[in-house]
Amino acid sequence: AYSKEDGTRAAKMDGQIDEDVKEKRAEILMELQNKVAEENGKKQIGKTLTVLTEGIDEESCLYFGRSYMDSLDVDALVYFGAEEEVLTGELVKVKILEYVDYDLTGEMIYDK
């Protein structure tokens, strides 16, 4: 939501929108964004993505990284299980099995 900045022309303009209206509009947009993210995430289920490994999540014991679709500090992560150690910076193929709260989970695929 837009916030008035002292000293700007926009802060002095007529027709300012009430804070409660701004908050309600932002809520509506976030609900829509959540639906879009879920639809897009679920479309990845069953696909194989190349993932740049960033580390291991100690709590879940899953590796995590990003696909070509994911920006650092902006987008979700891909979590995956692996049968052998995966090094940070390693590119691996991951078959996506599930979408959970913006993130994808899957299993590493090994070349035969």
Side-chain angles (χ1 to χ4, degrees):
Y2 168 78
S3 299
K4 290 183 188 180
E5 293 291 330
D6 289 335
T8 64
R9 283 195 262 173
K12 299 174 188 171
M13 293 177 89
D14 292 334
Q16 298 289 328
I17 297 171
D18 293 334
E19 288 300 317
D20 59 332
V21 173
K22 291 181 198 179
E23 288 177 25
K24 182 63 179 167
R25 289 179 180 176
E27 266 180 45
I28 292 168
L29 286 173
M30 282 309 299
E31 287 174 17
L32 289 170
Q33 174 55 33
N34 288 339
K35 287 179 185 176
V36 169
E38 183 174 4
E39 287 173 14
N40 288 336
K42 287 184 173 180
K43 287 179 186 176
Q44 301 307 313
I45 295 173
K47 293 184 179 180
T48 298
L49 300 176
T50 300
V51 174
L52 175 63
T53 306
E54 293 184 352
I56 189 163
D57 178 69
E58 298 297 331
E59 187 174 317
S60 67
C61 296
L62 294 173
Y63 290 96
F64 65 89
R66 298 178 190 281
S67 74
Y68 72 94
M69 299 179 289
D70 305 312
S71 295
L72 183 64
D73 296 330
V74 176
D75 293 313
L77 294 169
V78 178
Y79 290 89
F80 61 96
E83 294 175 9
E84 54 192 53
E85 182 181 14
V86 181
L87 301 175
T88 298
E90 191 173 347
L91 287 170
V92 298
K93 294 196 182 306
V94 176
K95 181 170 184 175
I96 304 303
L97 303 174
E98 192 174 16
Y99 168 85
V100 180
D101 298 328
Y102 288 98
D103 295 321
L104 300 172
T105 60
E107 289 291 330
M108 184 173 154
I109 297 175
Y110 298 88
D111 292 326
K112 296 177 181 177

